[in-house]
Amino acid sequence: MVPTPQPSPIDHAPASARPDWENHLVLHRNRLPARARFATYPDETSAQAGASSLWELSLNGIWAFQYAATPVEAALDYAAEQFDAAAWDHLPVPSNWQMHGYGHPHYTNVEYPFVIDPPHVPSENPTGSYRHHFFVPATWIGRRLILRFDGVDSAFEVSINGHAVGFSKGSRMPAEFDVALYLRPGQNLLAVRVYQWSDGSYLEDQDMWWLSGIFRDVTLLAAPSVALWDMKVSPGLHADVRAASLHVEAFVTTEADAQGSYQLELQLFDADTRHLPGVAAHVVVVADGQPSVAAGLTAEVDAPRLWSADDPYLYTMRLTLRNECGDVIAVVPQRIGFRSVEIKGPQLFVNGRAIKLRGVNRHEHHPDLGRALPRATMLEDVLLMKRHNINTVRTSHYPPHPHFLDLCDTYGLYVIDEADLECHGLTYARQPFFLSSDPAWCAAYVDRMTRMVERDKNHACVIMWSLGNESGFGANHEAMAAWCREHHPGFLIHYEGDAHGKVSDVISQMYTNVPNVVAFGAGTDDVGEEPQGKPRVYRAEYANKPFFLCEYAHAMGNGPGGLKDYWDAFWHYERLLGGCVWEWLDHGIRTTAADGCVSFAYGGDFGDEPNDGNFVCDGLLFPDRTPSPGLIEYKKVLEPVYADALELDADGAHVRLHNRYDFISLDHLHASWQLTEDGIVLTAGDIAVPQVAPGASASIAVPLTPLISTPGALYHLTLRFTLRHATSWAAAGHEIAFAQCELPLTVPVTSRTERPAADAVTFRTERPAADAVTFQDNKSQLCIQAGAMNLSFDKARGMLDSWNYAGYQLLVAGPRLSFWRATIDNEARGGGARILDEWRAHFLHRMQHRVQ
């Protein structure tokens, strides 16, 4: 059978305990232990093909559904086989029921939409009841049968064929149940009841829409009675990164009456599915009636190609389980990347090289489907990030759908995997964030860390585990970190709330201003303020920890701003690790008015109170995933090719290129150039890009042919760097970076048709002689004439009031000085309103002009 389910604290609770959905001591009933996610195949051929396993049955589809305003009003015997659900509605699974007209979406940033009284939740707790019939092959009976839910918001109970199976909380992590005893060959009934609010909701107060239901995949898994249950893969890259000791800690489950010896074999295949014959290991597993047997395998790998965001090379490891006769029982493929992640001094190193994290914070959202993201949408996100020079994703503020991490492995993105934990609304409590130090809630905190790490521990893309977001800092966070270090030593931990780095391996903050970031980078000052406004003190424990802005550059409205200032600091100081822009996507919900007009709704548009308005629309992408100008700017700031140090001589222009990639040379790029006069292309060409190593620089020459320049014209040299060959994420010719500079090309000639000999033409910086300037000063006006241009200044008001050129009036009204402008959202709402109040306190809105 499967491993024994984890014991639930309810075993020690009194009989009069509250309902499961508002009892923080009940984390689950009969949920199986957390484990890594992988697929099991019946043979090596199907495992190599990479298609869905024949031992996996998707239960996604259209389910019968009933919505009730409270648990009391939900159908009492909904799980019974004889229950008549013919009058029920139908709802797709996965989905959020609010996106289909049941209840309404509700947006808050910080506030809970209910009274703070944990673990209690409102009696008016919307409840969704689901029923779904599915077919089980007769050949599956007698096997291990596991029912897996990848995400259900916020608490749910499960029944099969009228029998209660289990209960779980923790919305954005998988819950698995052993259902072999309840299934039969042929048709079966799965019944699920979901509660919108639970005590877990107090830990899921992320800045996003409150949406409910079975919003991720539901799958039935079948496996032999003796099979691989879990594994932990350690790439074991050596310090010199030239070899690795691949180690696998495997756990094989057996039936209680299983006896005999089984052999577990390890093989390794490259990205082209070529078998590496020198890399192999095997171990004998003896079934002696124990439910789980641990086995270790180690194989030496010479000169592995390394995985990084720049070059995400993946191998496939295959574990094959055979019986005593050598017959294949089960095969498990696992993609792996050979890479190391460590902190040395104040820098983060991947594969022995210090890197910068050029990141974004990503919520899961779709304008029509809520948090039930199609795989095509996940791929779209990854491709857009890669095409805009982003290399890091913080999964704010919960673990993403597991397929997203598969994509990050494949295409190359570093991931800060964040636990499904935020109790931001407790900032309004009498004792802010008190749950984070309450021992009675410790198990709930650690449970969220455990399930994330165990699920995602074998992903090459994950470089740090985050303890959650905006939940203060307390003993329960320390317990989360302690569990991780005990069970997975060497994994790096992040948490912004740990201001002094007590358990976090990086010093992380949000929205720290550039001068403070620079001061921290220089090692001369702390960042931010101590509690109760105490003065900042630079702490010794910061000396050997990188500084990371997990949120910065708020991308709302016409934001983000200040990107170049931040990145000038990040590039300059080695201890500054980089940062993640808040955030990736506007969470607008597409709506269609009666007149057919389509718009994107935000907080308050559904009658949701309290709400935080359009604060949910603060991304680099618009809700339909169209890039905003902010994303285009971010791409420019993050360019891995930086051009500067322009020099001119008789041979042309010389430009120095800096390679800001961490692991690859620049020779995979193609360079082209254009010389323009007032925006019109005069000449263009191509340049070979030299093999500039990561972090190095080199000069390239642009062979500008001497030419006659027009007096007063503007000349610009533009360089563009594009992909020489197609990659997995962009076609050949995709632009990675560009640079543009103005050239001082001027020679005093009267006509562009009068071209002197080539050897007489030079690049010159002198401007042609200007027209004579005359002026007339009278009592009320100052009039100036220069050739065909006439200007008039109003002396009484101190402003330009007329600008005429060759008889054409160019000016409607002159410019006036103002210290007031329209406020942006962050200045007029919430805590930002103090900025607007300060402006008014200094009467900036009432300033008058005075001429001196």
Side-chain angles (χ1 to χ4, degrees):
M1 295 300 293
V2 297
T4 303
Q6 296 170 314
S8 172
I10 192 60
D11 298 336
H12 308 289
S16 60
R18 293 177 295 274
D20 288 352
W21 64 82
E22 58 176 0
N23 188 337
H24 60 294
L25 299 180
V26 180
L27 304 181
H28 67 88
R29 291 183 187 275
N30 299 323
R31 191 179 67 214
L32 292 169
R35 60 169 178 154
R37 185 187 181 90
F38 52 81
T40 302
Y41 293 81
D43 54 67
E44 294 177 333
T45 301
S46 58
Q48 182 173 345
S52 297
S53 172
L54 297 176
W55 289 348
E56 293 188 4
L57 175 65
S58 172
L59 301 185
N60 294 349
I62 304 300
W63 294 27
F65 178 75
Q66 182 202 54
Y67 176 83
T70 73
V72 174
E73 295 170 301
L76 182 63
D77 54 351
Y78 79 104
E81 291 191 83
Q82 64 273 19
F83 181 83
D84 184 5
W88 280 20
D89 298 332
H90 291 85
L91 188 71
V93 170
S95 72
N96 294 116
W97 67 54
Q98 289 90 345
M99 303 300 293
H100 293 267
Y102 302 96
H104 60 260
H106 193 150
Y107 168 62
T108 62
N109 171 26
V110 178
E111 290 183 76
Y112 293 108
F114 44 77
V115 173
I116 299 175
D117 185 23
H120 303 285
V121 295
S123 297
E124 295 181 359
N125 185 2
T127 302
S129 301
Y130 297 77
R131 287 168 59 94
H132 183 62
H133 289 91
F134 62 99
F135 186 88
V136 174
T139 55
W140 281 24
I141 303 303
R143 295 181 179 273
R144 300 167 57 218
L145 299 176
I146 308 298
L147 180 62
R148 181 178 68 205
F149 293 83
D150 280 318
V152 183
D153 194 322
S154 70
F156 68 106
E157 55 193 32
V158 182
S159 297
I160 287 184
N161 296 329
H163 301 282
V165 171
F167 171 84
S168 184
K169 298 172 188 168
S171 297
R172 285 158 279 275
M173 286 306 303
E176 293 185 318
F177 303 93
D178 176 9
V179 294
L181 295 179
Y182 311 108
L183 292 175
R184 61 194 176 218
Q187 183 169 274
N188 291 262
L189 170 66
L190 170 60
V192 181
R193 176 155 287 170
V194 181
Y195 303 95
Q196 177 164 328
W197 306 122
S198 72
D199 55 271
S201 301
Y202 284 97
L203 305 183
E204 296 175 1
D205 184 30
Q206 292 94 340
D207 176 9
M208 60 184 184
W209 294 98
W210 295 92
L211 299 172
S212 315
I214 306 172
F215 69 95
R216 287 182 182 166
D217 305 293
V218 183
T219 310
L220 182 65
L221 309 173
S225 56
V226 178
L228 188 69
W229 169 254
D230 194 10
M231 62 177 170
K232 177 183 177 181
V233 181
S234 301
L237 192 62
H238 295 178
D240 62 3
V241 303
R242 296 178 181 176
S245 298
L246 174 61
H247 180 74
V248 179
E249 186 178 4
F251 297 90
V252 178
T253 56
T254 64
E255 294 283 2
D257 57 353
Q259 299 293 327
S261 298
Y262 299 83
Q263 182 163 292
L264 189 62
E265 300 175 348
L266 181 154
Q267 296 174 294
L268 193 65
F269 300 81
D270 66 15
D272 296 318
T273 70
R274 291 187 296 248
H275 178 224
L276 305 181
V279 182
H282 69 276
V283 65
V284 175
V285 179
V286 178
D288 56 2
Q290 298 297 318
S292 180
V293 180
L297 301 94
T298 301
E300 299 301 320
V301 185
D302 293 328
R305 183 169 168 180
L306 305 184
W307 185 97
S308 69
D310 290 347
D311 183 20
Y313 191 88
L314 292 171
Y315 293 82
T316 298
M317 180 191 73
R318 185 186 300 167
L319 294 179
T320 303
L321 185 66
R322 300 177 184 271
N323 62 19
E324 290 180 316
C325 299
D327 301 324
V328 172
I329 297 176
V331 182
V332 173
Q334 174 67 49
R335 295 195 307 169
I336 62 172
F338 288 96
R339 60 103 177 99
S340 64
V341 181
E342 59 185 335
I343 288 177
K344 295 188 292 187
Q347 293 180 285
L348 177 67
F349 287 78
V350 171
N351 303 336
R353 291 191 61 89
I355 68 167
K356 299 290 185 183
L357 300 183
R358 313 161 207 193
V360 293
N361 289 274
R362 174 188 178 268
H363 269 291
E364 292 188 323
H365 179 78
H366 189 282
D368 305 309
L369 305 174
R371 281 197 295 281
L373 263 66
R375 294 193 173 198
T377 301
M378 300 180 211
L379 176 60
E380 183 180 6
D381 280 348
V382 169
L383 296 181
L384 282 169
M385 290 176 190
K386 293 292 293 186
R387 291 169 185 170
H388 289 85
N389 298 327
I390 290 163
N391 74 354
T392 302
V393 181
R394 177 178 173 230
T395 66
S396 52
H397 302 291
Y398 41 83
H401 189 290
H403 182 65
F404 181 77
L405 296 184
D406 292 338
L407 295 173
C408 292
D409 285 340
T410 301
Y411 292 93
L413 288 168
Y414 300 121
V415 171
I416 301 168
D417 205 358
E418 192 148 270
D420 188 8
L421 175 61
E422 179 172 336
C423 52
H424 203 175
L426 293 184
T427 190
Y428 296 112
R430 185 172 301 168
Q431 180 184 350
F433 303 118
F434 65 96
L435 293 186
S436 295
S437 298
D438 187 342
W441 286 75
C442 184
Y445 277 62
V446 174
D447 178 69
R448 290 166 184 267
M449 187 71 174
T450 300
R451 292 162 69 190
M452 171 183 70
V453 174
E454 294 294 359
R455 188 195 76 169
D456 299 339
K457 60 195 172 192
N458 296 326
H459 281 282
C461 64
V462 177
I463 62 171
M464 280 192 281
W465 307 108
S466 178
L467 305 182
N469 185 67
E470 292 179 321
S471 299
F473 181 69
N476 295 340
H477 291 107
E478 295 183 54
M480 296 169 73
W483 177 90
C484 187
R485 291 200 163 104
E486 177 185 354
H487 293 84
H488 299 280
F491 284 45
L492 299 181
I493 292 176
H494 163 273
Y495 183 54
E496 177 267 339
D498 182 14
H500 299 149
K502 186 173 183 180
V503 299
S504 177
D505 291 301
V506 299
I507 302 301
S508 178
Q509 292 194 350
M510 300 178 180
Y511 308 108
T512 310
N513 62 44
V514 173
N516 279 348
V517 170
V518 170
F520 192 93
T524 58
D525 200 356
D526 187 7
V527 182
E529 293 186 354
E530 295 292 315
Q532 289 80 48
K534 294 181 180 178
R536 297 194 304 268
V537 178
Y538 187 79
R539 297 175 173 271
E541 60 263 35
Y542 293 172
N544 288 319
K545 291 190 176 183
F547 176 72
F548 175 61
L549 280 174
C550 64
E551 292 182 23
Y552 82 111
H554 198 262
M556 190 170 185
N558 64 348
L563 293 173
K564 185 178 184 302
D565 295 332
Y566 276 110
W567 276 95
D568 284 347
F570 293 159
W571 292 125
H572 185 75
Y573 296 102
E574 65 177 22
R575 68 185 308 120
L576 302 182
L577 181 53
C580 293
V581 167
W582 186 265
E583 64 172 310
W584 177 238
L585 173 73
D586 286 348
H587 301 200
I589 293 178
R590 198 188 324 259
T591 58
T592 303
D595 61 359
C597 180
V598 177
S599 62
F600 293 107
Y602 46 77
D605 287 343
F606 301 97
D608 44 317
E609 292 291 342
N611 69 79
D612 284 284
N614 63 336
F615 208 70
V616 77
C617 293
D618 50 7
L620 293 167
L621 298 178
F622 296 117
D624 61 358
R625 283 178 164 75
T626 301
S628 74
L631 181 59
I632 307 305
E633 181 183 358
Y634 199 34
K635 174 184 178 180
K636 174 64 180 170
V637 171
L638 297 181
E639 286 176 337
V641 185
Y642 175 65
D644 69 353
L646 173 70
E647 295 181 357
L648 295 174
D649 59 26
D651 297 324
H654 301 270
V655 179
R656 178 162 291 276
L657 302 183
H658 301 266
N659 182 358
R660 285 178 168 169
Y661 284 106
D662 295 315
F663 294 98
I664 57 177
S665 171
L666 295 184
D667 57 354
H668 70 291
L669 299 177
H670 170 80
S672 60
W673 61 272
Q674 287 183 340
L675 178 64
T676 59
E677 179 188 72
D678 291 336
I680 299 174
V681 177
L682 298 180
T683 182
D686 297 319
I687 313 169
V689 179
Q691 190 173 10
V692 184
S697 60
S699 291
I700 59 171
V702 181
L704 297 179
T705 303
L707 50 85
I708 298 298
S709 62
T710 300
L714 293 178
Y715 296 85
H716 288 91
L717 174 65
T718 303
L719 295 168
R720 299 191 181 276
F721 301 90
T722 58
L723 291 176
R724 180 173 295 179
H725 305 290
T727 68
S728 61
W729 46 269
H734 168 75
E735 185 173 288
I736 298 294
F738 75 92
Q740 187 178 74
C741 55
E742 183 179 351
L743 298 181
L745 300 180
T746 59
V747 291
V749 295
T750 57
S751 170
R752 287 187 54 80
T753 60
E754 300 174 7
R755 294 183 179 273
D759 57 0
V761 179
T762 59
F763 296 105
R764 299 178 59 181
T765 59
E766 299 89 342
R767 290 294 181 185
D771 292 321
V773 178
T774 62
F775 69 93
Q776 182 179 4
D777 190 358
N778 58 39
K779 182 177 180 181
S780 62
Q781 287 185 315
L782 174 65
C783 301
I784 301 174
Q785 181 176 4
M789 181 173 67
N790 290 276
L791 298 173
S792 173
F793 290 88
D794 183 337
K795 294 173 64 177
R797 295 170 180 81
M799 60 181 290
L800 177 68
D801 64 357
S802 176
W803 180 3
N804 186 288
Y805 185 83
Y808 293 95
Q809 185 58 244
L810 306 181
L811 191 70
V812 174
R816 292 175 63 85
L817 189 64
S818 174
F819 281 88
W820 184 264
R821 60 163 171 77
T823 56
I824 61 176
D825 285 311
N826 287 353
E827 293 165 344
R829 56 173 290 124
R834 66 181 183 273
I835 298 174
L836 179 59
D837 293 341
E838 185 176 358
W839 290 358
R840 292 186 182 276
H842 287 82
F843 299 101
L844 295 187
H845 60 303
R846 294 183 179 176
M847 293 186 71
Q848 297 176 335
H849 288 79
R850 183 174 70 230
V851 178
Q852 292 181 322

